[in-house]
């Protein structure tokens, strides 16, 4: 790749670690036990790459994979910390990083960050998240885009439909798809899927409302007419889904669109990795565009995976943390990991035209830069990058109940959203 000369190879990393150990007179063997949520599919394959690179660099890799909700990981983490057995490295993100940093139990990565020049290469919108009080305590692995709209090229071509750019155009397209006897939206039954869709709706309809309600947890904003209108759009979109969403996985929903059984699928860029792994082709089986926005311009809802490091007393794990952090932030890992996961690097100095990145991934980086320039970049509430987990969980419950229960009106849902958050305050 173009920045090959900058790449700190695994061999170099191992040499650096070994030299440090010799200078210190410590025969430390780099070890780690990383706790994460990636137990299946392309995500498990992506984390396996990290383990392989850690072992290639001479480290001893162990992992604890916890399936399901972030709350499951947090429960396990709290239990381990209370027991005095804090894990060396944990996949966490957003406000959770600041919360754990506030406990004083996180490790300080300033030394490795300084020697590796992280401040100069990490995307600016991630630095404050990784340095909640000014010190590096976490290493960002990637940048995900949440607001992707995947379209079935076959259905759009057959029906002469352009990719919709506004919600009115989206509704008109769905009316045409349904009139042709086709499913318009492929969707599965999961609270995070429902909330991912609602993330894009609120963001695309009213950018200021998104920021107030989903980034500041402003309950007046949640009760506003704008939020009622957003729930009304969600209700309309539930009507564009089929009756088989219960028990359907997001991968099955993806396949419905790629196979031409449904016109649209709203989901993050991890879809790109799974679609490519399954043999689907961009611009042949599917198109990728940003979800509709009513305010014009470019939009980007950001999600980022990161690894938080906790203080360790065993020198093997301390050395392992330094090695793991360097590998995560190396251009080599950022390319390998993000090509496998469908996301884009957290470093700004990686050339996506090389290394195997897809056209969708390259478009994602272009849109990210445009969104930063236009002031439209936001972090995702649905994917735990904004408000505290207790607020997010309460909102997700209301949103998914609204999807499942057609008797709930948009006005009732907006009030329930605000009530649920106020109960957590």
């Amino acid at each position: 790749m173009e920045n090959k000369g900058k790449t700190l190879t695994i061999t170099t990393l191992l040499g650096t670690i070994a030299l440090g150990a010799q200078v210190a007179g410590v025969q430390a063997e780099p070890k780690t036990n990383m706790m994460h949520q990636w137990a299946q599919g392309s995500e498990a394959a992506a984390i396996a790459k990290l383990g392989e690179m850690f072992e290639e660099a001479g480290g001893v890799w162990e992992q604890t994979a916890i399936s399901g909700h972030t709350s499951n990981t947090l429960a396990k983490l709290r239990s381990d910390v209370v027991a005095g057995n804090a894990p060396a490295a944990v996949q966490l993100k957003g406000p959770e990083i600041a919360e754990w940093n506030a406990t004083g139990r996180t490790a300080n990565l300033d030394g490795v960050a300084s020697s590796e020049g992280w401040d100069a290469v990490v995307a600016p919108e991630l630095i404050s998240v990784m340095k909640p009080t000014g010190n590096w305590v976490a290493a960002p692995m990637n940048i995900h885009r949440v607001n992707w709209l995947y379209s079935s090229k076959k259905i759009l071509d057959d029906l002469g439909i352009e990719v919709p750019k506004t919600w009115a155009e989206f509704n008109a397209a769905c009316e045409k798809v349904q009139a042709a006897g086709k499913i318009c939206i492929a969707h599965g039954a999961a609270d995070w899927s429902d909330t991912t869709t609602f993330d894009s709706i609120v963001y695309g309809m009213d950018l200021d409302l998104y920021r107030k309600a989903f980034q500041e947890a402003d309950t007046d904003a949640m009760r506003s007419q704008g939020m009622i209108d957003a729930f009304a759009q969600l209700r309309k979109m539930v009507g564009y889904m089929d009756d088989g969403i219960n028990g359907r996985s997001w991968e099955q929903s993806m396949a419905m669109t790629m196979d031409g059984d449904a016109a649209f699928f709203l989901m993050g860029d991890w879809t790109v990795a799974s679609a490519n792994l399954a043999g689907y082709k961009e611009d042949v089986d599917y198109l990728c565009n940003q979800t509709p926005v009513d305010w014009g311009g470019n939009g980007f809802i950001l999600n980022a995976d990161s690894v938080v490091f906790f203080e360790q007393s065993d020198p093997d794990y301390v050395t392992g943390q330094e090695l793991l952090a360097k590998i995560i932030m190396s251009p080599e890992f950022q390319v390998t990991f993000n090509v496998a996961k469908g996301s884009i690097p957290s470093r700004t100095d990686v050339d996506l035209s090389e290394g195997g990145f897809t056209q969708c991934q390259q478009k994602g980086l272009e849109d990210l830069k445009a969104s930063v320039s236009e002031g439209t970049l936001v972090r995702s509430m649905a994917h735990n990058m904004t408000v505290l987990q207790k607020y997010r969980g309460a909102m997700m419950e209301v949103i998914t109940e609204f999807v499942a229960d057609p008797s709930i009106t948009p006005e009732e849902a907006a009030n329930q959203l605000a009530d649920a958050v106020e109960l957590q305050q």
Side-chain angles (χ1 to χ4, degrees), residues 1-2 4 59 68 94 101 139 179 262 269 271 298 312 381 392 396 418 422-423 425:
M1 57 187 295
E2 188 176 87
K4 184 177 180 181
N101 179 67
D269 58 12
T271 301
N298 295 281
Q312 302 291 306
M381 181 277 285
R392 170 182 175 256
M396 289 174 70
E422 286 173 350
L423 281 173
Q425 293 175 341

Side-chain angles (χ1 to χ4, degrees), residues 120-157:
V121 298
V122 170
E125 55 272 17
L126 293 180
I127 289 181
S128 63
V129 180
M130 304 301 138
K131 300 169 64 176
T133 53
N135 303 113
W136 286 93
V137 299
M141 306 172 83
N142 59 5
I143 294 175
H144 277 299
R145 185 186 201 173
V146 173
N147 59 320
W148 276 118
L149 175 67
Y150 301 94
S151 306
S152 164
K153 190 172 188 308
K154 181 178 187 308
I155 291 181
L156 265 56
D157 286 349

